[in-house]
Amino acid sequence: MLGKRLQFLALLTSIAFPVPAAQAATAPAAEAKTAAAPAPAAGAHGYAPLNGTAPAAPAREIKSTADHSKFKELQKDFKTGPEVTEACLTCHTEAAKQVMKTKHWTWEFLNPQSKQRLGKKHIINNFCTAVPSNYEFCTACHIGYGWKDSSFDFNKQENVDCLACHDNTGTYRKLPGLAGHPPYKDIEFPPHSGKIVPAVNLKNVAQNIGKTSRATCGACHFYGGGGDAVKHGDLDSSMKNPKKYLDVHMAKDGLNFTCATCHETDGHNVPGSRYTPTAKPKDVSPHMRGKVDENPATCQSCHGNKPHKSVAKLNTHTEKIACQTCHIPEFARGGVPTKMVWDWSTAGKLDKDGKPFKLKDSGGHDAYDSKKGDFKYEANVIPEYIWFNGKVNYTLRETKLDPSKLIKINSFEGSPNDGQSKIWPIKVFRGKQPYDIGNNQLVVFHTYGKDDSALWSNFNWDKAIEFGMKEIGAEYSGKYAFVSTEMSWPITHMVAPKKDALSCAQCHAPQTGVGRLDKVPGIYMPGRRANEWLNTAGWGLAGLALLGVIGHGGLRLYLW
């Protein structure tokens, strides 16, 4: 099924339709000249800044129907990103309107079932915690320009950033603190580091735009939560050019997929959601572009619900077990550890000179940062496993808490008996964060800024919380403490080759009696919780019974 789909896509993309010169200017942005310049080591967060001058894109054979370097609108020296967008819109007249209808633009989502208003704009998480009052820093990963406060105009088309997703030079970068803009002049980043990030050559980038890539998507998604591999665990910089053992779909020596191969967009809307994931697809027929179906970004959209040809027995597992459970044996296995614990309660410690400091773990990763508290990283992590039916409930800022209990920022619904659930692998991110003692609610606090209320400037929790709560117009009692929290993420990337998938024994565990799914309730598995002495006694009794039958039969024959 997968092979047929790939052949179909290859046939479509191999056909070139010549167009008149007058129409060439209206060719889609996705059909653009590609350029092979080296990409920066880090993404939009810029944790490994470039030094020197950004490399120019070398000449390359044009396979598209449009060469953007020849467009009259793109011959000027652009001073700002919005100027580039205005030029793009002269041909791609509907692009910005489409983008403005997506979650990538609004950073909000109304769950149609729970009616919870979600999205980065509203949710408090347990890593960077909240966007409000920290817009200039967080919006380095927004596909827009100028979101520095709550007055940002979401209806202004030139605020849409086309280059963030369509850059093919590898030189376009957006840095924290610039409210979604790239650097228009050389800038030292991180501050006081002595490392210089060069100004982006907007003209060069605009003339070399093309389809999205692992690098452009990863510039934000690999570095979400404040750094490489912090948030997801199955998305990090190792996925930019993964080896086949890491991800059989995205590896160049595998299928060489980009993110958009599975997350096939329609009008700039990217399918696949962390808020309403597809846990058990109803439609398992192959996805085709233009066909309206449940979600093309699922394993079943290519492989169907009976993907195993040589061992048919494995197909009986797919009714209750997600493909990812067997085919992603560990996450954070590409050489980049993922953050598993973030404790904000210890933030604010200063050295003997009254200065903030950092401590490293044995792997060279931050173990403590005065700005953020304590961290713990892990690599090659075995997921936790749960029943999941696609429904996710969130603890919102206005939700009343019981601080004596562990607070789950999000909780996944599912059971072995609802007919909608499968056993899924997840990453559970654990932390401590502030809450309002008087109101028993999570708080928004102000981290980034040059003002006296920013936590990273003055290390004063009272001022940071007061400022953040005022920013969203919420009441703050004036007293805070810290509460333990958990947040869960489905694991769905880093798909291993089939030879590296889980073996039967890793779940059924006939030798040890404890398998991968031992803590998952409501399932019967032969070999689960096996007891060696009980097994020996059982086989002994079976052997004696067999001897009795043979002896009895032999005696009957002899007497006859």
Side-chain angles (χ1 to χ4, degrees):
M1 193 173 294
L2 174 61
K4 291 181 180 178
R5 181 184 177 194
L6 292 175
Q7 291 172 9
F8 179 72
L9 292 175
L11 177 62
L12 291 180
T13 55
S14 66
I15 300 174
F17 296 94
V19 296
Q23 295 179 16
T26 63
E31 294 186 359
K33 169 180 158 185
T34 57
H45 291 282
Y47 288 90
L50 290 168
N51 287 280
T53 305
R60 186 175 177 180
E61 178 187 359
I62 305 299
K63 295 183 179 180
S64 170
T65 57
D67 180 356
H68 284 68
S69 68
K70 297 179 180 178
F71 286 3
K72 179 180 66 176
E73 292 84 354
L74 302 180
Q75 301 307 313
K76 60 182 291 187
D77 292 322
F78 299 99
K79 295 181 179 178
T80 67
E83 288 184 13
V84 177
T85 301
E86 289 178 340
C88 296
L89 294 177
T90 60
C91 294
H92 304 281
T93 58
E94 306 306 303
K97 297 174 187 176
Q98 293 175 354
V99 168
M100 288 175 174
K101 296 177 182 179
T102 69
K103 295 187 291 292
H104 275 92
W105 174 255
T106 62
W107 278 11
E108 64 179 356
F109 171 73
L110 180 62
N111 188 309
Q113 295 179 331
S114 68
K115 304 304 179 184
Q116 288 186 313
R117 190 165 294 278
L118 309 172
K120 298 180 191 298
K121 190 191 293 185
H122 302 288
I123 285 178
I124 295 180
N125 56 58
N126 64 347
F127 33 96
C128 290
T129 71
V131 172
S133 77
N134 304 304
Y135 296 106
E136 288 181 281
F137 192 88
C138 298
T139 54
C141 267
H142 184 242
I143 53 171
Y145 299 115
W147 190 358
K148 63 180 181 180
D149 54 38
S150 57
S151 66
F152 178 69
D153 189 351
F154 284 90
N155 296 312
K156 197 173 182 180
Q157 293 191 44
E158 58 265 36
N159 282 346
V160 173
D161 182 356
C162 306
L163 304 181
C165 298
H166 293 289
D167 166 45
N168 271 196
T169 69
T171 64
Y172 186 78
R173 303 184 64 193
K174 297 175 36 145
L175 301 178
L178 301 182
H181 287 278
Y184 299 129
K185 60 182 180 180
D186 293 356
I187 185 173
E188 183 185 28
F189 188 86
H192 314 299
S193 67
K195 298 178 181 179
I196 303 300
V197 177
V200 170
N201 185 332
L202 294 173
K203 179 180 179 181
N204 179 54
V205 176
Q207 291 182 356
N208 291 279
I209 56 91
K211 295 181 179 180
T212 60
S213 65
R214 293 188 294 268
T216 54
C217 296
C220 285
H221 291 284
F222 295 164
Y223 300 89
D228 194 1
V230 166
K231 182 164 60 174
H232 296 290
D234 61 344
L235 286 172
D236 58 46
S237 59
S238 68
M239 293 288 282
K240 182 179 175 183
N241 289 301
K243 298 297 184 182
K244 193 173 181 178
Y245 76 88
L246 179 59
D247 194 288
V248 70
H249 296 115
M250 301 179 80
K252 285 188 176 181
D253 58 342
L255 295 172
N256 199 24
F257 281 6
T258 66
C259 304
T261 306
C262 293
H263 298 274
E264 293 179 321
T265 60
D266 181 12
H268 283 91
N269 186 49
V270 182
S273 171
R274 294 287 181 176
Y275 301 118
T276 54
T278 304
K280 186 175 183 178
K282 298 175 182 177
D283 180 9
V284 295
S285 59
H287 171 75
M288 294 177 64
R289 185 174 292 278
K291 168 190 168 186
V292 177
D293 57 9
E294 190 176 10
N295 180 3
T298 64
C299 303
Q300 289 81 358
S301 68
C302 278
H303 298 282
N305 215 25
K306 295 183 178 180
H308 305 98
K309 308 303 180 187
S310 58
V311 185
K313 179 62 178 175
L314 292 176
N315 288 327
T316 63
H317 289 61
T318 61
E319 180 63 25
K320 294 292 185 180
I321 300 175
C323 303
Q324 293 88 335
T325 295
C326 294
H327 289 277
I328 308 178
E330 293 91 24
F331 58 87
R333 55 190 184 86
V336 184
T338 186
K339 192 176 288 186
M340 298 296 290
V341 175
W342 186 332
D343 184 355
W344 279 96
S345 70
T346 61
K349 297 177 184 177
L350 303 176
D351 64 17
K352 61 181 180 180
D353 298 319
K355 301 290 185 181
F357 66 95
K358 293 183 179 182
L359 298 175
K360 301 289 185 180
D361 62 19
S362 59
H365 296 275
D366 288 347
Y368 179 79
D369 185 337
S370 295
K371 292 181 177 181
K372 301 177 180 180
D374 283 291
F375 312 124
K376 288 185 180 179
Y377 286 83
E378 293 182 30
N380 302 308
V381 184
I382 294 176
E384 297 184 32
Y385 300 95
I386 60 167
W387 288 103
F388 182 39
N389 61 16
K391 296 180 181 178
V392 187
N393 294 310
Y394 279 81
T395 297
L396 303 178
R397 191 212 59 79
E398 57 268 24
T399 304
K400 293 293 185 179
L401 312 176
D402 181 353
S404 66
K405 298 180 180 179
L406 174 71
I407 305 302
K408 293 190 175 184
I409 299 293
N410 62 349
S411 56
F412 291 180
E413 292 188 12
S415 78
N417 304 315
D418 63 6
Q420 304 298 319
S421 299
K422 288 190 176 186
I423 298 172
W424 269 76
I426 61 171
K427 171 187 174 178
V428 181
F429 191 96
R430 295 176 169 89
K432 282 188 177 181
Q433 62 196 100
Y435 77 100
D436 185 334
I437 294 178
N439 294 313
N440 281 335
Q441 294 172 321
L442 295 176
V443 297
V444 170
F445 57 93
H446 181 41
T447 56
Y448 173 83
K450 298 180 181 179
D451 56 284
D452 185 52
S453 299
L455 181 69
W456 294 349
S457 298
N458 62 17
F459 303 99
N460 187 311
W461 277 107
D462 280 306
K463 287 185 177 182
I465 295 173
E466 183 178 359
F467 186 99
M469 296 295 278
K470 184 177 180 180
E471 175 74 18
I472 63 172
E475 178 187 354
Y476 172 49
S477 70
K479 296 181 179 179
Y480 71 92
F482 292 88
V483 64
S484 295
T485 57
E486 283 186 357
M487 195 167 186
S488 299
W489 300 89
I491 296 299
T492 194
H493 304 93
M494 296 188 175
V495 180
K498 63 180 181 181
K499 66 179 182 180
D500 296 326
L502 293 185
S503 66
C504 300
Q506 286 176 278
C507 289
H508 293 274
Q511 299 302 318
T512 64
V514 179
R516 286 283 185 105
L517 307 184
D518 194 63
K519 295 182 180 179
V520 180
I523 56 174
Y524 166 74
M525 294 197 308
R528 188 185 195 193
R529 296 190 180 92
N531 182 284
E532 185 177 351
W533 289 105
L534 185 60
N535 283 345
T536 301
W539 283 113
L541 290 173
L544 290 173
L546 179 61
L547 288 174
V549 170
I550 294 173
H552 176 74
L555 183 60
R556 292 285 297 259
L557 286 171
Y558 174 75
L559 293 175
W560 179 78

